[in-house]
Structures are given as C-alpha cells and as structure tokens.
Amino acid sequence: MMTPTLTISALTRRFAGVAALTDVTFSVAPGERVALLGHNGAGKSTMMKIILGLIPATTGQLSVCGTTPGSPEARRQVAYLPENVAFHPALTGLEQIRHYLALRGQPPGGAMALLEQVGLAPAAHRRIGTYSKGMRQRVGLAQALIGAPRLLVLDEPTSGLDPVSRRDFYTLLDGLAAQGASILLSSHALTEVEARTDRILILSKGRLVAEGSLPDLRRRAALPVAITIVPRDADDPALRQALPEATPAGGALHLTCGQADKLAVLARITRLGDRIRDIEVQPPSLEDIYSHFSQRDGQ
Amino acid sequence: MNRILATALCEFRIALRNRWVAIAVVLMALFALVLSAAGSAPTGGLGVDRLSVIVASLTSLAVYLVPLLALLMSFDAIAGEVERGTLPLLLTYPVARWQVLLGKMAAHLAVLTLAVVTGYGLAAGAALLADPSAKAGLPALVRLMWSSVVLGATFLGAGYALSSLARRPSGAAGLAVGLWLALVVLYDLGLLAAIVADNGGWFTTHAFSVALLANPADAFRLFNLAASGATAAASGVGGAAATIPLWQALASLLLWPLAALALATLAFRKVTP
C-alpha cells in the first residue's frame, strides 16, 4: 500500500460557531480519482480550501503530499481549479498560462502545448474577456495541468462544459491518474461522475455520510427496484391473483421489490407467460441513490 | 526573483492594456508642459536659471499628482483580485504574498517612472530650448525624477494596504481618495492653522518640523526645495525647507516606502480568500 497523497482525519471547521464541516475523515491514494458529492452548501468548497491551505481547519489533522496544507512544499505539488474560475480579462489565454508557468518555475514556452491539450489553441491569442464560460473553464483546466501535480483539487470542473468537452476532460483526468496523480473533484450530480471515478464521497451538511464505489453505494442504499408490467388484458383476474402487491395505473401494473427479492418476483411474473405483453425493470437511479445518502443523515 | 519578475511583467501588460500607462504619461506630460509654459515668465528677477525655477514648480505639481497616480493604480491591486475571484487560485501557487506585492509594485513603479521621465523631460526640453544656461538645473531635475518615484512607491504601498483592508474596489477607492486628501491637501492646511493659532509657541519651534517630516509628501517637497536651493521660488510650507536639515528630509523620503510596503504586506496577510 502506497502512502496516501492526501490524509484527512477528524476535520472540523466552524465559521463563527456554525459548523461547516464536522469530523470528516478520509484519504486519497496516488492514482485514485475521488468524487466529492453534495448539495450547494454541503461543505465541498470549504473542504477544498482547507486542503489547499487557503483557510485553516478549526480542529483535525491534514497531510497533503506528506506535508502541511498551504506550505510552499505542498503548493508546489498541488493544482487547483476553483469553482467559476476567473482570470484577468485583459490578458490573452496564452499570456495567462505563460504567467502561471513562470509562477510554478516552469519554462513559459510550454503554454501553447497546454492550451492545445484542452482544445484552446485557436483562441490562445484572444483576450480572456472575450471567452465563453466553457473556454474560461478550459484555461482553468490548462493551468491545473502545469508541472505534473501530485494532487489535483478540482471544484466543479465540468460546469459550463458541453457533453463532448466533458468526456475529453475525463479522458485527460484518466491519463493523469494513470501517471500516479491523485484527483479530488467535486460535483453535485452523481450521474456525471458515475463511470469516471474510483470512489465517491457524499457530504451532507458538513458530514461525510457515505463513502465507497458506486456499486458499493448502490448495494448499501438497498433501494427498491421498480417493475412495470403491461398485461394483454388489463382486467385479467389471474394477474391480480398472482401479483396481489401490484397497483394498477394507466393500463399497467406497478410494483416494487427489494434487490434481494428481484429474481423471485421476476420468476413469478414470467410464469404468467402469455398474459403479459411487456415488462420493464428499473433499478434505482443514480439520483435516487444520491438523494438517499445525502438526505438520510440531514434529517 | 523570477516569480516577482513574472508578476511584474504580467501586471505591466495589464497596465498597458487598461490604458494606465497612457493615462499616466499623458497626464504627467500635460501638466508639466502647462507648468513650464506658465512658469516661464518670472525667471529674470530671481537670478536662477529657467530649469531650476521649473523644477520648483514641478515639485509642487508632483506633490499632488504623483501620490494621486500611485493611489489610482494601486487601490484595485488586491481588492480587484478579490472581486474578480482570481485571488484564491493565485494563492495556491508557490508564490509568497510579499512576492506578489513586490511584483505589482515593480510594474506600477515602472509606469510611474515612465510618466515622470516623460513629463519632466518634456518640461526640461522646453526650458533648455528657450534658455541654454538652464543646463545648470539638470541635477535638480534628476533629483526630482528619482525622488518622485520614491514618493510614488510610498503611496503605492499605502494603496496596496488600503486595498487589502477594504477587500472591495469601491471601498478601497474611497479610502485612497481619503488618504490623498488627508496627507496631501488637509495635512498642510492643518499645520498652517496650528501655526497661526500657536503664534510662535512650542508647536512652531519644536513640533512643526517633526510634523512635516512625518508626512512623506512634505518630506518630498522639503527635500527637493532644500537640495535645489530654489527655496526663494517656493512659498507656504515649502518656506520651511531652509530650517530642516537635508538628510532628515531624505531619510523620511526613503524610509516611508519601506514602511508602506511592510504595512501592505501585513494587511495582505490578513486577507482570507
């Protein structure tokens, strides 16, 4: 087991007595892609700012690349993409990236290659003031790629990106992770991070309410499966008899069952044979799973 | 060092794009030319060359204009970054806050130097054209140039400090105008009022010179007038130049930028993104 790039234990942050984060503990290993999920105000951005050393923790221990958050050593190895990233509108994309390269002690000549990587090369000589939100987001992404960082902290990195750019973005992240970079990114949609992250952390009202891979979370949530049956004859009494728990609506029968009972119920349905015209099985949606975890603890 | 230089280059480019370079240079040139045209009449009776007289007039101009330009350029430095939302990202880079401030100051000082050299240079050129003996005033002109830049550094530092304290550009602008009024306009009026009320007592004999040295703008004026020996052409508070040793005015002039920069660093450190 490699030493984690990021370790957080019992982290608590209070603003004027109000707890923004309470007793949060987790770690991120090298090469791991971790998604931080939560509603607006759940504490995602606060957590990131503490990891970056922009604001101090009230209590708790943090280790970033083996050192203190915000120390020069940590800052050299950590890249950040803030939510709604902004730049000086008077600079061009190229000038801005050259500046960031210089601040990281890298040769500014690599700026164009970085912009090409995020698909901004054609706009490199235009002022950032004329960029769309998605283009600004790409500049932000380009600066986060500077100097092979060991930890990338990305706050809602895909907001403002179209679906194709999103896919390109996650492909970029895959490449970085394959080289050993740890990635912590936040989002408020589970659907988006579904297939592209190794682990999911769900934050609700400043508490870590769930942690695990998506199949893990799906199993633990144990949300019911919804089954819709379209009978040949809506008033067929044999159907009612075989499936007493189903409720009829709009010419179809609806029923739900636990994950564990799914096969047994389906077996009962298939035994009805010709009496059924169609059947549809809906597993709990990602949004259902997310709501399940993010609301459970908040009540 | 490279990080300071990179910040300075970036800030200078922004000043160029924002027309700050053009505004500062044109403003300085315009005022200097108007002054040299207006100041060309009374030279004969004073027994000094034309340029020395112009330097005395330029000193009075610089006391108002240089702090104003410096504050106008600097009030947005931190508050603007906070408002645009660019500060959190900058502070996650491996660059110290004092390096950011020094970089910004280097760029703004370059703009100020450009404006001062252009403006004073034009005025000096006009004087030399009209009166070849004006060469005698060149050392005073050079002294005025560098001391103007030093004065500018003080007010740049003060501007950064106010910008950090206010955290919003509108608030920082208000504070900057307030500081300019207080130090450049009201301070001297207050001193004069105090002298009149004191009527030759303790304040006039002891506190007055200290009060003058404590204000960077007054120290600048004292230094230039005393050093150029053009006190005869000066009036008002400038008349005190004869009574205060040159080195004291110089020390105040040189110490203030350091103090202002230290204040700015302290204030910037307190800013949480």
Side-chain angles (χ1 to χ4, degrees), chain B residues 42-48 53 232-233:
Chain B
T43 47
L46 289 168
V48 284
V53 174

Side-chain angles (χ1 to χ4, degrees), chain A residues 46-108:
Chain A
T46 304
M47 168 109 77
M48 291 189 157
K49 285 187 172 174
I50 292 173
I51 292 169
L52 294 158
L54 291 174
I55 53 175
T58 308
T59 57
Q61 280 83 48
L62 280 97
S63 158
V64 176
C65 302
T67 161
T68 343
S71 63
E73 191 51 36
R75 282 193 271 168
R76 251 189 292 281
Q77 303 181 62
V78 178
Y80 175 44
L81 173 57
E83 187 183 1
N84 300 321
V85 64
F87 305 98
H88 201 290
L91 296 173
T92 69
L94 188 67
E95 286 163 353
Q96 183 70 77
I97 295 297
R98 287 175 68 91
H99 179 50
Y100 283 132
L101 277 163
L103 287 184
R104 284 214 181 271
Q106 304 268 333

Side-chain angles (χ1 to χ4, degrees), chain B residues 70-71 105 109 112 148-160 179 183 216-217 252-261:
Chain B
L71 286 170
M105 189 180 241
L109 274 183
L112 213 56
S148 292
V149 173
V150 173
L151 177 68
T154 300
F155 279 88
L156 283 174
Y160 302 144
L179 182 75
L183 284 190
S252 168
L253 188 65
L254 294 178
L255 284 176
W256 264 113
L258 301 177
L261 193 62

Side-chain angles (χ1 to χ4, degrees), chain A residues 112-131:
Chain A
M112 204 46 157
L114 281 167
L115 288 172
E116 265 163 24
Q117 239 183 315
V118 296
L120 259 189
H125 295 284
R126 270 167 51 197
R127 291 191 193 183
I128 297 178
T130 68
Y131 283 13

Side-chain angles (χ1 to χ4, degrees), chain B residues 81-104:
Chain B
E81 299 248 17
V82 171
E83 191 179 64
R84 277 193 302 276
T86 48
L87 193 62
L89 182 57
L90 178 65
L91 293 181
T92 63
Y93 270 76
V95 53
R97 295 193 185 200
W98 63 267
Q99 289 176 318
V100 173
L101 280 180
L102 269 188
K104 283 177 185 277

Side-chain angles (χ1 to χ4, degrees), chain A:
Chain A
M1 181 70 196
M2 283 179 284
T3 46
T5 312
L6 170 67
T7 315
I8 295 178
S9 60
L11 168 67
T12 294
R13 167 74 204 193
R14 276 187 284 273
F15 289 107
V18 182
L21 290 169
T22 310
D23 200 23
V24 175
T25 298
F26 70 92
S27 65
V28 182
E32 198 179 19
R33 299 162 302 171
V34 175
L36 194 60
L37 261 56
H39 296 316
N40 293 327
K44 299 182 304 260
S45 294
T46 304
M47 168 109 77
M48 291 189 157
K49 285 187 172 174
I50 292 173
I51 292 169
L52 294 158
L54 291 174
I55 53 175
T58 308
T59 57
Q61 280 83 48
L62 280 97
S63 158
V64 176
C65 302
T67 161
T68 343
S71 63
E73 191 51 36
R75 282 193 271 168
R76 251 189 292 281
Q77 303 181 62
V78 178
Y80 175 44
L81 173 57
E83 187 183 1
N84 300 321
V85 64
F87 305 98
H88 201 290
L91 296 173
T92 69
L94 188 67
E95 286 163 353
Q96 183 70 77
I97 295 297
R98 287 175 68 91
H99 179 50
Y100 283 132
L101 277 163
L103 287 184
R104 284 214 181 271
Q106 304 268 333
M112 204 46 157
L114 281 167
L115 288 172
E116 265 163 24
Q117 239 183 315
V118 296
L120 259 189
H125 295 284
R126 270 167 51 197
R127 291 191 193 183
I128 297 178
T130 68
Y131 283 13
S132 68
K133 184 173 190 295
M135 290 163 87
R136 281 203 305 276
Q137 197 70 20
R138 285 155 192 254
V139 177
L141 191 59
Q143 63 81 28
L145 301 175
I146 292 172
R150 278 182 63 202
L151 173 65
L152 285 99
V153 179
L154 313 170
D155 201 350
E156 313 227 345
T158 54
S159 70
L161 294 185
D162 57 79
V164 177
S165 317
R166 266 174 209 217
R167 210 184 46 208
D168 295 345
F169 162 75
Y170 279 110
T171 311
L172 257 174
L173 287 194
D174 291 347
L176 289 167
Q179 288 160 29
S182 303
I183 294 157
L184 180 68
L185 63 91
S186 74
S187 175
H188 41 222
L190 189 53
T191 31
E192 198 195 299
V193 301
E194 175 187 13
R196 315 306 300 245
T197 48
D198 305 309
R199 202 148 51 91
I200 290 161
L201 306 172
I202 298 178
L203 209 57
S204 175
K205 301 192 174 149
R207 288 174 188 276
L208 199 58
V209 293
E211 179 182 357
S213 67
L214 188 60
D216 263 0
L217 295 181
R218 198 189 284 277
R219 202 177 52 241
R220 258 188 288 155
L223 291 176
V225 179
I227 301 173
T228 308
I229 302 152
V230 185
R232 267 192 206 290
D233 175 7
D235 302 318
D236 193 338
L239 251 68
R240 291 284 175 80
Q241 220 165 13
L243 303 163
E245 69 269 48
T247 48
L253 293 168
H254 300 274
L255 62 94
T256 57
C257 67
Q259 283 284 352
D261 307 327
K262 187 170 66 182
L263 287 177
V265 173
L266 283 174
R268 262 161 62 207
I269 295 167
T270 43
R271 245 178 271 136
L272 293 166
D274 264 0
R275 292 170 193 272
I276 291 171
R277 193 180 333 151
D278 196 11
I279 177 169
E280 201 172 301
V281 180
Q282 275 177 324
S285 75
L286 295 170
E287 298 309 335
D288 291 338
I289 295 173
Y290 170 57
S291 314
H292 169 80
F293 283 112
S294 61
Q295 278 163 17
R296 189 185 53 177
D297 215 64
Q299 304 305 318

Side-chain angles (χ1 to χ4, degrees), chain B residues 2 39 49 57 65 69 74 78 99 105 107 144 180 218 237 256 273:
Chain B
N2 282 335
D49 65 279
S57 322
L65 212 51
L69 273 178
S74 59
I78 307 301
Q99 289 176 318
M105 189 180 241
L144 181 66
W180 182 78
D218 282 326
V237 172
W256 264 113

